[in-house]
Amino acid sequence: MADTKTAIVTGGSRGIGREVCLRLAALGYNIAIVYVGDENEANDTIAECNKKGVTAKAYVCNVASFEETKATVAEIRKDFGNDIEFLVNNAGITRDGLIAFMKESDWDSVLSVNLKGAFNMIRHTAALFIKNKGGRIVNISSVSGLMGNAGQANYSASKAGIVGLTKATARELAPKGITCNAVAPGFIHTDMTKNITEDNSELLKTIPLGKMGEASDVASAVVFLLTSPYITGEVLRVDGGIAM
Ligand code: NAI
């Protein structure tokens, strides 16, 4: 395994994260998936990665926990070695509600998973990237974080926070040869959006390209940024034009 570089993908068990894992596996990267939830989904992603000839392993870990993420990164280094090149902070949740009625716990859990989760993972990998004199980070934001979305104050705040986290990290780590970028998807077909359908013409009207996107559309942008040595601090929209 020594010659093969490793990518860590949070939320890699399904949806956009799974698509990112498969793209990186096709490029020859070993894959460490950090997730919670359905083990079968994670095993499916691992099997698909294995078919591309790389090693993949899934770690059950709540990214919102500083201690769990610290232990998981240590475990990944033990399993895969220190040649970790990519970190993709993709794990995310929604707990939608109107702000006048939003439960404190819904605010806290969305901020903890979506924003603190990305901080935790960067916090526990940055020293290794610095030691390795390189590393690439991509954080998944959202158009909700760029424009705001009614009924999603917690989610929009977390995803706007990702933009600030990305730019500060990019500035701080650039002298060490490490890049940090964000991708801001619009409406993408995954489990997270299974309640949104394109029959809803009001939704379609907000998308200049007139349709929802696919996880593979987002994965293409993630891989582009991971493999671009001279782009840092960028927020790349993959949204059919919603937030232009
Ligand atoms: P999904 O619900 O299909 O997958 C979410 C993944 O995150 C799963 O692998 C799950 O295990 C993981 N996860 C959730 N909570 C976690 C936790 N506490 N610790 C570790 N892992 C956890 O979601 P989808 O649609 O693939 O979204 C991926 C990312 O893209 C999220 O950050 C989401 O906010 C963002 N996004 C999605 C959009 C969409 O339309 N689907 C639009 C804009 C952004």
Side-chain angles (χ1 to χ4, degrees), residues 5 8 13 58 63 79 120 131 134 144 148 184 190 207 209 241-242:
K5 293 187 176 190
I8 302 176
S13 60
V63 293
D79 291 341
N120 284 338
K131 194 161 163 239
S144 298
T190 68
I207 308 173
L209 284 178
I242 297 174

Side-chain angles (χ1 to χ4, degrees), residues 9-232:
V9 182
T10 73
S13 60
R14 69 183 204 187
I16 292 168
R18 172 182 288 170
E19 217 42 57
V20 170
C21 290
L22 300 188
R23 291 293 181 87
L24 294 176
L27 293 176
Y29 284 82
N30 286 328
I31 305 293
I33 297 163
V34 176
Y35 81 109
V36 293
D38 191 335
E39 190 181 356
N40 293 324
E41 292 176 335
N43 287 337
D44 286 348
T45 307
I46 290 171
E48 290 295 314
C49 289
N50 290 157
K51 276 190 207 156
K52 298 183 190 299
V54 300
T55 304
K57 190 170 171 188
Y59 302 80
V60 175
C61 163
N62 177 7
V63 293
S65 162
F66 191 82
E67 290 308 324
E68 271 186 51
T69 49
K70 185 178 179 185
T72 298
V73 170
E75 217 183 315
I76 292 170
R77 289 175 65 171
K78 200 146 51 87
D79 291 341
F80 287 92
N82 287 325
D83 213 354
I84 296 169
E85 189 177 350
F86 298 154
L87 168 64
V88 181
N89 285 310
N90 161 81
I93 59 169
T94 54
R95 295 284 183 275
D96 296 351
L98 299 173
I99 193 156
F101 308 102
M102 185 173 285
K103 284 195 269 173
E104 183 185 12
S105 59
D106 286 343
W107 174 271
D108 288 344
S109 54
V110 169
L111 268 291
S112 299
V113 173
N114 296 8
L115 183 54
K116 190 182 174 198
F119 159 72
N120 284 338
M121 292 301 296
I122 295 170
R123 169 68 179 76
H124 298 311
T125 50
L128 178 63
F129 288 150
I130 291 168
K131 194 161 163 239
N132 288 350
K133 296 188 170 56
R136 306 255 168 85
I137 303 165
V138 169
N139 301 316
I140 306 299
S141 178
S142 165
V143 291
S144 298
L146 306 181
M147 306 165 66
N149 195 18
Q152 284 198 315
N154 49 359
Y155 186 78
S156 299
S158 73
K159 294 302 188 178
I162 285 285
V163 173
L165 172 68
T166 299
K167 292 184 179 183
T169 304
R171 286 187 188 277
E172 198 173 312
L173 297 183
K176 307 290 181 192
I178 298 158
T179 66
C180 183
N181 292 288
V183 171
F187 293 100
I188 308 297
H189 283 296
T190 68
D191 285 304
M192 185 179 268
T193 53
K194 59 178 179 252
N195 296 327
I196 303 173
T197 70
E198 278 150 312
D199 305 340
N200 180 345
S201 58
E202 290 306 310
L203 167 67
L204 278 187
K205 270 191 236 154
T206 69
I207 308 173
L209 284 178
K211 60 177 183 177
M212 289 176 69
E214 303 302 327
S216 58
D217 298 323
V218 182
S220 298
V222 172
V223 172
F224 168 69
L225 290 171
L226 288 173
T227 54
S228 297
Y230 201 59
I231 299 178
T232 199

